[in-house]
DNA sequence: GCGCAGGTAATCT
DNA sequence: AGATTACCTGCG
């Protein structure tokens, strides 16, 4: 057990923020998360004005070794929030609603495949496809819980196997991407040294990866927090509130954090 | 029953 | 370059 009292950290919002598909509230205030070959349960103890308290069902060592970095605990999100334009009404609303979201440091390969799957799918459908894929090709962590498959594991899948995981036309995208990565085993690591722009361009070379999927992979798999993925929700926000242009320069270096606040608020609160 | 969902690639103007 | 369209499947 490891208890944490912390600001700008809200598990429920993070689980529902669209950056992760393997994080669920399985009972009220009780969460299940699968990352790499780790399974973690988290209990919400209290949600406060400033700080929230959580109990992580793991040792302090495991938390410090892995989860602290994974949850981006040591980044000062107040710094980002203070930089937001006080006169920007939409962003101020978004912040008060979405405060608590952090950018998780997830696995590159998992993010790439997950966001290839995500196209033209609703979140429940994405989650269900990833679950099937993991159960079929990933390692068993404990009974009924499976890790996301590694490249080696997923490469064993035939097009038929993949289609059976409700992937539809995305099956060939995943097959070809796995094939390319097997032939170029250091590709995903090598491109991490590139500039954000070159990283996204490199990812776009993969079959089934366009600008949106590449940006999501960069933001959530490479922690390139300046990436600003534009999906239908963000596009709606941009059209409605920033028809004269969004001030990207102002948020240079952390636009992805702002994007997450905008997305969460736009999708969950600012409907229509 | 049927339109559409956190897009991409191919094929047009 | 920019606009249009097919694409699998599951959920509402």
């Amino acid at each position: 057990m490891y208890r944490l009292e912390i600001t700008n950290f809200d598990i429920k919002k993070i689980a529902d923020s669209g950056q992760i598909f393997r994080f669920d509230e399985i009972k009220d205030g009780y969460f299940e998360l699968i990352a790499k070959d780790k399974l973690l349960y988290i209990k919400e103890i209290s949600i406060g004005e400033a700080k929230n308290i959580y109990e992580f069902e793991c040792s302090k060592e495991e938390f410090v070794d892995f989860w602290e970095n994974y949850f981006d605990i040591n980044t000062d999100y107040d710094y980002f929030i203070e930089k937001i334009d006080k006169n920007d009404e939409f962003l101020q609303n978004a912040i008060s609603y979405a405060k608590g979201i952090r950018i998780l440091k997830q696995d590159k390969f998992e993010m790439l495949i997950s966001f290839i799957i995500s196209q033209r799918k609703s979140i429940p459908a994405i989650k269900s496809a990833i679950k099937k894929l993991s159960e079929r090709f990933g390692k068993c962590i404990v009974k009924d819980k499976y890790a996301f498959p590694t490249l080696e594991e997923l490469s064993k899948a035939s097009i038929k196997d993949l289609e059976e995981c409700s992937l539809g036309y995305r099956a060939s995208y995943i097959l070809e991407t796995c094939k390319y990565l097997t032939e170029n085993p250091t590709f995903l690591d090598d491109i991490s040294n590139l500039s954000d722009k070159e990283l996204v361009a490199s990812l776009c070379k993969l079959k089934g990866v366009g600008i949106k999927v590449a940006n999501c992979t960069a933001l959530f798999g490479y922690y390139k927090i300046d990436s600003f993925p534009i999906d239908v929700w963000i596009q709606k926000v941009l059209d409605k509130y920033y028809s004269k242009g969004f001030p990207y320069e102002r948020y240079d270096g952390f636009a992805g954090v702002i994007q997450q606040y905008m997305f969460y608020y736009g999708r969950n609160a600012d409907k229509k």
Side-chain angles (χ1 to χ4, degrees):
Chain A
M1 286 297 187
Y2 180 74
R3 187 178 274 241
L4 182 68
E5 187 172 344
I6 183 173
T7 60
N8 290 318
F9 187 66
D10 190 311
I11 291 287
K12 195 184 176 83
K13 292 181 190 175
I14 292 172
D16 190 33
S17 66
Q19 62 177 302
I20 180 159
F21 304 107
R22 312 209 69 200
F23 200 173
D24 297 301
E25 185 166 21
I26 54 175
K27 281 188 294 185
D28 201 30
Y30 193 65
F31 301 85
E32 178 187 276
L33 165 63
I34 299 175
K36 302 249 183 191
D37 56 349
K38 293 174 168 46
L39 172 67
L40 179 67
Y41 290 92
I42 306 166
K43 200 177 192 175
E44 181 184 286
I45 304 297
S46 79
I47 299 294
E49 281 295 299
K51 293 187 174 183
N52 294 343
I53 304 174
Y54 294 99
E55 206 160 74
F56 295 82
E57 298 189 358
C58 67
S59 66
K60 186 182 176 183
E61 289 69 36
E62 182 181 327
F63 191 86
V64 172
D65 284 348
F66 183 79
W67 297 110
E68 194 168 88
N69 177 61
Y70 178 88
F71 284 117
D72 200 20
I73 296 296
N74 294 320
T75 296
D76 178 14
Y77 279 71
D78 274 333
Y79 169 82
F80 303 138
I81 293 169
E82 279 162 18
K83 290 224 169 182
I84 293 171
D85 189 348
K86 299 283 179 291
N87 298 316
D88 187 326
E89 198 185 337
F90 176 80
L91 269 186
Q92 289 302 328
N93 288 337
I95 264 299
S96 52
Y97 185 82
K99 192 171 147 68
I101 293 175
R102 287 178 184 242
I103 309 291
L104 303 182
K105 293 181 182 167
Q106 300 188 73
D107 181 73
K108 301 173 179 63
F109 179 68
E110 177 173 346
M111 289 300 97
L112 175 63
I113 301 299
S114 296
F115 283 101
I116 289 177
I117 293 172
S118 78
Q119 55 190 266
R120 298 294 305 167
K121 269 184 182 292
S122 63
I123 290 180
I126 300 167
K127 285 188 173 184
S128 127
I130 290 176
K131 189 159 177 266
K132 285 181 195 167
L133 210 56
S134 300
E135 286 172 354
R136 196 147 172 172
F137 302 104
K139 279 188 201 68
C140 182
I141 304 172
V142 296
K143 189 178 183 309
D144 295 331
K145 305 295 170 191
Y146 291 82
F148 191 87
T150 61
L151 170 61
E152 295 71 33
E153 288 160 353
L154 197 53
S155 296
K156 296 191 181 99
S158 68
I159 197 84
K160 185 166 168 290
D161 291 330
L162 294 171
E163 279 168 355
E164 283 167 8
C165 295
S166 313
L167 299 177
Y169 63 89
R170 304 160 195 83
S172 68
Y173 294 166
I174 291 173
L175 193 79
E176 289 205 32
T177 292
C178 284
K179 204 166 155 190
Y180 181 85
L181 293 178
T182 303
E183 286 160 6
N184 302 274
T186 60
F187 179 81
L188 287 182
D189 286 329
D190 290 346
I191 61 175
S192 60
N193 301 316
L194 300 174
S195 70
D196 290 16
K197 225 174 183 167
E198 290 171 318
L199 171 66
V200 167
S202 302
L203 288 168
C204 284
K205 287 179 194 153
L206 298 167
K207 191 80 172 172
V209 179
I211 191 72
K212 153 69 167 65
V213 170
N215 269 296
C216 284
T217 306
L219 179 55
F220 305 125
Y222 287 84
Y223 194 69
K224 298 289 185 185
I225 60 168
D226 200 29
S227 305
F228 193 91
I230 298 176
D231 54 52
V232 294
W233 293 103
I234 291 292
Q235 192 61 57
K236 274 183 203 170
V237 168
L238 293 178
D239 290 346
K240 189 170 168 188
Y241 297 98
Y242 300 98
S243 55
K244 289 173 192 151
F246 183 76
Y248 295 105
E249 336 73 56
R250 185 184 180 106
Y251 306 111
D252 191 34
F254 59 98
V257 176
I258 305 298
Q259 190 270 7
Q260 278 290 283
Y261 293 144
M262 292 166 72
F263 173 81
Y264 187 79
Y265 177 65
R267 176 170 177 268
N268 296 313
D270 191 67
K271 303 236 181 212
K272 289 226 299 200

